[in-house]
Amino acid sequence: MMNKLRYPVLVSSIILLALLVRVYQHHHILMGDEAQNMLTIKALVEGGGVRDYFFKHPPLFTILSAAISYPFGDNHLLVQGISIIFSVLSFIPLYLIMRRIFDNRTAIVTLLSLAIMPLNVNYSTWVKQDPMLLFFMLWSVYFYITDRPYKSG
């Protein structure tokens, strides 16, 4: 019973650690792409229509960010929070993939490494679509390796 309980507690603790580290590190000056993303989100929130930059990246992140920002305004900290949430949620399919390919211990070490890896922590707080794409890509890989290719697509 103890072994069955130990891994979910460890995974939950590592996910919480990853969340806390990312929230602590989420304040930074916006880079060029991030500023363009925020201007595109601002245009959507204020009813200014679609800017040319909207079509430079997959639009789901921009649309979701605009929908969430609409009631609160175009605050970049809120949009950074969306990136953080998707980054942290991507730990779930990553754990499932690693556990399936290797074992629980390897999956735990992988999650812990990714939770505190400085580049991943930094990149997870950017106003960009990459954490969302990583989240969906990892679920796609998980469904593919578990013989559910239709869900993978």
Side-chain angles (χ1 to χ4, degrees), residues 69-125:
S69 296
Y70 184 75
F72 304 106
D74 60 341
N75 187 342
H76 73 281
L77 296 176
L78 178 67
V79 180
Q80 284 176 335
I82 295 168
S83 292
I84 290 170
I85 288 169
F86 276 103
S87 171
V88 171
L89 288 177
S90 69
F91 279 55
I92 296 167
L94 178 62
Y95 172 76
L96 296 172
I97 291 166
M98 295 303 292
R99 187 181 70 184
R100 182 162 178 96
I101 294 173
F102 299 105
D103 60 4
N104 273 320
R105 296 174 93 189
T106 305
I108 294 291
V109 170
T110 301
L111 289 187
L112 184 57
S113 300
L114 195 61
I116 60 175
M117 183 188 303
L119 185 59
N120 186 271
V121 170
N122 184 29
Y123 206 59
S124 297
T125 63

Side-chain angles (χ1 to χ4, degrees), residues 34-47 49 51 54 61-67 69-70 73-75 79 82 127:
E34 293 179 287
Q36 289 293 334
N37 281 336
M38 282 308 302
L39 290 172
T40 303
I41 292 165
K42 180 178 180 156
L44 287 173
V45 168
E46 293 177 351
R51 299 177 68 235
F54 179 83
F61 177 78
T62 306
I63 293 168
L64 178 65
S65 297
S69 296
Y70 184 75
D74 60 341
N75 187 342
V79 180
I82 295 168
V127 179

